[in-house]
Amino acid sequence: MPYLSDRSSVASALTTSTPTSSAGGRPRDAVREGQILATVLGMLADTGYDSITFEEVARRAKASKATLYRRWPTKRDMVVAAVKAGPSSGHTQDAIDTGSLRGDLLALCRRLNTTLRASDGSMSLMLLQAGLEDAELCEYLEIATGPTGARLPASVLEAAIARGELPAGAKPFPYEEVTGSVLLLRRLNGLTVDDAYLDTLIDSILIPALAASAAPASEPPRGIFSGAPASD
């Protein structure tokens, strides 16, 4: 399924998927499920994660709460399903492994940038806010969609250290604090993010910062995209 550029195309794409089966073996109505997930995405963009309840989704989508609960046991499951079917629909669950740190970082940045630009800016902001309000949602998204690009997978960091591209003790903080923040800011301001920009970001900021992260003896704070950063 292609990446989606606006909310109307999100709704269209969600309602044209192949029918699936429920746990009891009964075929699901793919069109109806797509309409419900499009409603969830619309609420996420318009009013935020906190506003999403089974009652309100059922009201807006003209569905019964029982229908929603049969498909998604929790609100988190419902939101992850909507994101997976919409902005993250082009993701694979394959690990990022290009054979070099630079290649891995470029693949992660491309993935995150494409996801951010698959929805309007308000949805990107609200999804970030949702992750801050529900740290486990970040984990669910990473598992359900594959590497999102918002985080630096441990496997990428460990492989870079093993290849000698980063010193032992390098930490993911610089990537997780900087990458999502700058790509989101550029998205919101309509600024270009092409491979030339990503090359510069990786070579001049991300790789040097990741290398420098091994030096401090103390544990760094959690990056804003790493889940549950400290708040005031």
Side-chain angles (χ1 to χ4, degrees), residues 13-48:
L14 290 178
T15 57
T16 56
S17 57
T18 302
T20 56
S21 296
S22 64
R26 183 175 61 184
R28 290 180 177 176
D29 183 340
V31 171
R32 192 72 187 103
E33 184 164 309
Q35 292 168 343
I36 295 169
L37 294 178
T39 297
V40 174
L41 287 178
M43 291 179 64
L44 182 64
D46 293 337
T47 53

Side-chain angles (χ1 to χ4, degrees), residues 1-4 9-10 12-18 84-91:
M1 186 181 294
Y3 283 101
L4 308 170
S9 59
V10 168
S12 175
L14 290 178
T15 57
T16 56
S17 57
T18 302
K84 184 178 180 180
S88 295
S89 60
H91 285 196

Side-chain angles (χ1 to χ4, degrees), residues 5-79:
S5 57
D6 55 46
R7 210 170 302 167
S8 62
S9 59
V10 168
S12 175
L14 290 178
T15 57
T16 56
S17 57
T18 302
T20 56
S21 296
S22 64
R26 183 175 61 184
R28 290 180 177 176
D29 183 340
V31 171
R32 192 72 187 103
E33 184 164 309
Q35 292 168 343
I36 295 169
L37 294 178
T39 297
V40 174
L41 287 178
M43 291 179 64
L44 182 64
D46 293 337
T47 53
Y49 184 68
D50 276 348
S51 73
I52 297 175
T53 63
F54 280 93
E55 291 79 4
E56 185 61 14
V57 172
R59 185 186 71 81
R60 294 194 186 198
K62 296 181 173 57
S64 70
K65 286 196 294 182
T67 296
L68 302 185
Y69 280 115
R70 279 198 299 270
R71 287 165 165 78
W72 308 288
T74 69
K75 164 181 165 176
R76 188 184 298 138
D77 292 324
M78 186 166 57
V79 171

Side-chain angles (χ1 to χ4, degrees), residues 6-232:
D6 55 46
R7 210 170 302 167
S8 62
S9 59
V10 168
S12 175
L14 290 178
T15 57
T16 56
S17 57
T18 302
T20 56
S21 296
S22 64
R26 183 175 61 184
R28 290 180 177 176
D29 183 340
V31 171
R32 192 72 187 103
E33 184 164 309
Q35 292 168 343
I36 295 169
L37 294 178
T39 297
V40 174
L41 287 178
M43 291 179 64
L44 182 64
D46 293 337
T47 53
Y49 184 68
D50 276 348
S51 73
I52 297 175
T53 63
F54 280 93
E55 291 79 4
E56 185 61 14
V57 172
R59 185 186 71 81
R60 294 194 186 198
K62 296 181 173 57
S64 70
K65 286 196 294 182
T67 296
L68 302 185
Y69 280 115
R70 279 198 299 270
R71 287 165 165 78
W72 308 288
T74 69
K75 164 181 165 176
R76 188 184 298 138
D77 292 324
M78 186 166 57
V79 171
V80 168
V83 174
K84 184 178 180 180
S88 295
S89 60
H91 285 196
T92 69
Q93 292 183 298
D94 296 337
I96 299 294
D97 183 10
T98 67
S100 72
L101 173 62
R102 192 178 187 283
D104 288 351
L105 294 179
L106 182 58
L108 288 166
C109 288
R110 283 173 172 166
R111 174 170 288 195
L112 179 58
N113 182 58
T114 305
T115 300
L116 290 175
R117 292 174 185 271
S119 58
D120 60 25
S122 61
M123 190 181 297
S124 299
L125 276 175
M126 290 300 188
L127 190 56
L128 169 59
Q129 184 63 34
L132 295 177
E133 293 168 358
D134 183 353
E136 290 187 10
L137 178 64
C138 298
E139 299 290 345
Y140 271 66
L141 285 171
E142 293 285 336
I143 293 170
T145 68
T148 63
R151 294 183 176 186
L152 183 62
S155 59
V156 170
L157 191 62
E158 291 164 1
I161 293 172
R163 289 190 295 259
E165 295 170 303
L166 290 176
K171 301 174 180 64
F173 171 74
Y175 180 92
E176 294 174 352
E177 181 72 2
V178 172
T179 309
S181 304
V182 297
L183 294 184
L184 178 58
L185 186 61
R186 293 184 77 86
R187 167 71 180 93
L188 294 175
N189 286 281
L191 301 176
T192 298
V193 174
D194 53 17
D195 279 356
Y197 171 79
L198 294 178
D199 287 343
T200 303
L201 176 68
I202 291 167
D203 292 336
S204 65
I205 297 176
L206 296 182
I207 291 178
L210 286 168
S213 72
S218 60
E219 189 68 20
R222 296 179 69 88
I224 191 169
F225 278 85
S226 62
S231 57
D232 292 335

